[in-house]
Amino acid sequence: MMSHLPALQVVVPLLSAPICVLLGRGRFAYGFTLAISWVAFVISGLLLQAVVQGGAISYQLGGWAPPWGIELRVDLVNAYVLLIVSAIGALVMTYAKPSVDREIGAEQEYLFYTGYLLCLAGLLGVTITGDAFNIFVFFEVSSLASYMLISLGPNRRALTASFNYLIFGTIGATFFLIGVGLLYQMTGTLNIADLAERVAPLTGTRTVQAAFVFMVVGLALKAALFPLHAWLPNSYAYAPSVVTIFLAATATKVSIYVLIRTIFTIFGVEFSFGTMSLGPLLFILAIAAMLLGSTVAIFQDDIKRMLAWSSVAQIGYMVLGLAFATVNGVAGGILHLFNHALIKAALFMAMGCVFYRMGSVRIEAMAGIGKRMPWTTAAFVAGGLALIGVPLTTGFVSKWYLLLASVESGMWWIALFILISSLLAIIYVWRVVEAAYFMPSPDGAPEGEAPLLMLIPTWVLIIANVYFGMDTRVSVGVAVDAAKALLGGGS
Amino acid sequence: MEWPGLYNYWIAIFLMMAGLYIVIAQQNLIKKMVGLSVFQASVFILYITMGKVTGGTAPIIIPGDDVLYSNPLPHVLILTAIVVGVATLALGLAIIVRIYEAYGSIEEDDIEKEEENAR
């Protein structure tokens, strides 16, 4: 049983999806999905423990030895990504019931949960697999499910948002597929570890260089890196609350993880940053994302949309860390990947609570909400502080490492941009705070807090944000070890 | 290399660019999906092409030592990708049906106009 954990991590949610359809309408679908989410979380916890104690795990699907068979490979980097994805999944499902009841018709609920399970299975699959083609397949499993989930949003604009995401997402995944194909053509292998070895002597060839470009552009599209972020704001703004929480915290993070794998493990630092000079390009795009994302966020009246634009900026931070290609920089990027998942999930959960009570997340609906929904608003403020990067929160830890990397690399002016983007974050978080605490409630505004079932997961995430902001031993230790492994070639 | 060299790659690249252009240039959502399918199909051809070994036969074991086989793996991979492509097309068209129900049009301009009027 224990030795099959890597396979179970993906197979359990994947097979649960059709079972969930069979359960049909009624209460069972939700309970079942909730249970499976927690099972996935427990499995990823056990996997992490096994990796920390015994080093990387290689699992051969069907007993076919790699590089011929498909290998599932868990090391320090993706064990943590698995944990964060499944932890967010478990918390989101705990939170989901009241929100889903309100936003999605009772007839469609079991299909909604099915879509969620498929999306979870896809994301876990992308993270755990050691096979490049497998990454594409699982990407599409999760993406197709997420297009469906987004289209269930209450506003009809959710449909066009979902369609745009479908177009962009498919182009991104297909670009990745082209890159994988070109690599296979040159090396005759699809196993990531095997690819890494065989690509090294071929880096002078045009085909490998083209493969690199295709894969990086495709993944940048999937990760919504500026200027390929066009699909993200509408998708997050119009999706049902639960979907926004889950996708914002996991989907783009998993894409960034695959980007890390591609740049550092498959192609190696020397090729990516030497031959292909990826560094300057990533710096420019990351800084543009940080400044543009934060600036546009200030002018949004829909708070979910505002947070979505802020996500564009935060993805800039993660990529900025990668662009340094130093231990502190990459560690900062990986840290921000974890931290931002916690921060954005908490903030979108707070918005889900507001929507539950108010039926809107526009800034007008926030007027006076601090008095009527004190716990929700307090959670939003705490999450906002973490987003800005106030000390004692997670946001500070990752930004600190990015600052460290920029000073270390002699590019202190980048620190300036990090600072400017954080100041812009203060402005857009403040707009909500101002409305919530300093504006009077309109007459007849709905009273009362969100249900406890929604508040508890929100606060669990807020407490996690503060905890990992103060006790940085675990998170920083892992990120630095992971960065060293990635930069040292291989993992 | 003689002109046209490995002409199947030229075909794949032409289809790829044509498909991508249709996706970007067309206003009609169904035409966009058609473009996307052409784009994906070009990648299928790219994969199938790379599996072909000149003079190679189908990879079914034939007695004898000097039999040359084509590489079956890219073909198998692309079977999976075709399934993904079909699923994407089906989902895309399903969403278009819903968009038509909600807006009464599948032209991007009309949808934008409709959305502005509703504001």
Side-chain angles (χ1 to χ4, degrees), chain B residues 42-108:
Chain B
S42 76
V43 182
F44 304 160
I45 294 174
L46 180 73
Y47 266 73
I48 294 166
T49 289
M50 74 177 73
K52 175 68 183 167
V53 176
T54 313
T57 178
I60 302 164
I61 294 179
I62 302 168
D65 294 333
D66 54 348
V67 187
L68 192 63
Y69 298 111
S70 282
N71 184 350
L73 190 82
H75 300 186
V76 179
L77 293 179
I78 230 55
L79 269 181
T80 315
I82 287 171
V83 174
V84 169
V86 170
T88 311
L89 185 63
L91 183 64
L93 292 177
I95 293 175
I96 292 173
V97 171
R98 295 267 317 272
I99 289 177
Y100 185 73
E101 284 169 3
Y103 290 92
S105 169
I106 53 167
E107 297 286 333
E108 265 187 345

Side-chain angles (χ1 to χ4, degrees), chain A residues 130-454:
Chain A
D131 184 280
F133 189 80
N134 231 218
I135 290 181
F136 162 76
V137 175
F138 279 124
F139 251 142
E140 288 303 74
V141 170
S142 72
S143 302
L144 287 169
S146 54
Y147 309 144
M148 179 276 237
L149 291 174
I150 289 170
S151 74
L152 288 173
N155 190 314
R156 64 176 174 176
R157 294 223 82 173
L159 295 169
T160 46
S162 161
F163 185 78
N164 273 335
Y165 184 19
L166 183 138
I167 298 278
F168 278 104
T170 307
I171 292 175
T174 310
F175 265 53
F176 184 77
L177 183 64
I178 297 170
V180 172
L182 295 175
L183 278 186
Y184 178 76
Q185 199 168 19
M186 294 305 284
T187 61
T189 182
L190 291 165
N191 183 284
I192 287 178
D194 201 30
L195 269 177
E197 271 171 40
R198 292 181 189 228
V199 161
L202 296 168
T203 46
T205 59
R206 189 62 62 83
T207 314
V208 168
Q209 290 168 3
F212 177 78
V213 174
F214 271 116
M215 287 168 88
V216 169
V217 171
L219 290 170
L221 235 173
K222 280 264 171 199
L225 172 62
F226 176 86
L228 303 171
H229 62 277
W231 57 268
L232 186 141
N234 275 348
S235 300
Y236 285 9
Y238 296 113
S241 303
V242 172
V243 176
T244 309
I245 300 164
F246 184 64
L247 290 184
T250 57
T252 48
K253 309 298 176 290
V254 168
S255 306
I256 295 271
Y257 159 76
V258 179
L259 188 65
I260 292 175
R261 270 275 181 257
T262 307
I263 295 176
F264 293 104
T265 307
I266 298 184
F267 289 99
V269 183
E270 227 163 275
F271 175 69
S272 304
F273 290 89
T275 318
M276 301 303 287
S277 47
L278 188 64
L281 181 73
L282 286 189
F283 274 127
I284 293 169
L285 295 183
I287 290 171
M290 280 155 52
L291 296 180
L292 184 106
S294 302
T295 311
V296 177
I298 293 174
F299 297 100
Q300 300 304 318
D301 284 335
D302 183 314
I303 303 303
K304 263 170 91 178
R305 214 178 152 79
M306 177 193 98
L307 291 175
W309 275 103
S310 141
S311 275
V312 173
Q314 304 297 319
I315 287 157
Y317 285 109
M318 289 169 223
V319 174
L320 181 70
L322 306 187
F324 285 115
T326 61
V327 169
N328 276 339
V330 176
I334 295 174
L335 265 176
H336 204 59
L337 194 153
F338 298 132
N339 294 345
H340 181 247
L342 294 177
I343 297 169
K344 265 294 146 58
L347 284 170
F348 275 121
M349 275 188 179
M351 278 307 111
C353 293
V354 172
F355 190 88
Y356 181 81
R357 195 52 76 198
M358 304 294 298
S360 161
V361 287
R362 294 186 67 79
I363 191 105
E364 300 93 65
M366 306 285 158
I369 210 167
K371 292 215 180 62
R372 285 174 292 130
M373 301 176 75
W375 286 98
T376 304
T377 320
F380 185 86
V381 173
L385 290 177
L387 191 64
I388 295 163
V390 177
L392 298 184
T393 60
T394 42
F396 177 74
V397 183
S398 35
K399 284 185 185 172
W400 176 252
Y401 271 83
L402 293 177
L403 289 177
L404 220 59
S406 62
V407 173
E408 206 177 63
S409 314
M411 290 183 274
W412 56 268
W413 47 274
I414 287 180
L416 210 64
F417 287 116
I418 298 176
L419 211 66
I420 293 175
S421 176
S422 300
L423 289 174
L424 292 170
I426 296 181
I427 300 178
Y428 61 71
V429 172
W430 174 254
R431 285 180 66 225
V432 178
V433 174
E434 191 184 4
Y437 287 109
F438 299 105
M439 283 186 195
S441 298
D443 293 332
E447 292 279 335
E449 261 297 351
L452 216 53
L453 209 56
M454 294 169 83

